[in-house]
Amino acid sequence: MDSTASTPQTPATPTVPLDVTDQQNSALLEDTLNLLNAGAPDQASEKGLTEIDRWAEVLRASERPGLAKIIQELNTLREQLSSSDAEAHDIAETLATLGAETSKVADETSDGYSAPLAQLGKLLIKLGSTLSR
């Protein structure tokens, strides 16, 4: 058998689920709210892209159903922000979808995350409508 088979030695995503504590979730939510409350950046920053990556990892590790759409939209947003020819309208649409999906999750959440998630959803929608003008 050929040892140069196309199977990578390291998996693209970790096979061991990420263990995220409530404290880490709260910190991530707070960081993101602070970042978005500062207003829309005029260009993709490394900090913003890092936040997107952090959210994608946390959501992938979550056992919650219904997060696939949010993960998909986060990946779309990352691609758009990393692209030099992304249209503001497209980014605005992605942010609005993320906001709506986040609001849905907030409505279905019964723990202490409901209020901050609802705030995040509103901020994403507001940011999206600001960009679409």
Side-chain angles (χ1 to χ4, degrees), residues 44-54 77-78 81-82:
S45 71
E46 210 46 53
K47 182 163 174 40
L49 295 175
T50 300
E51 287 301 293
I52 292 170
D53 291 341
R54 287 172 67 194
L77 181 62
R78 190 180 206 308
L81 293 176
S82 300

Side-chain angles (χ1 to χ4, degrees), residues 3 10 12 87:
S3 64
T10 316
E87 295 289 329

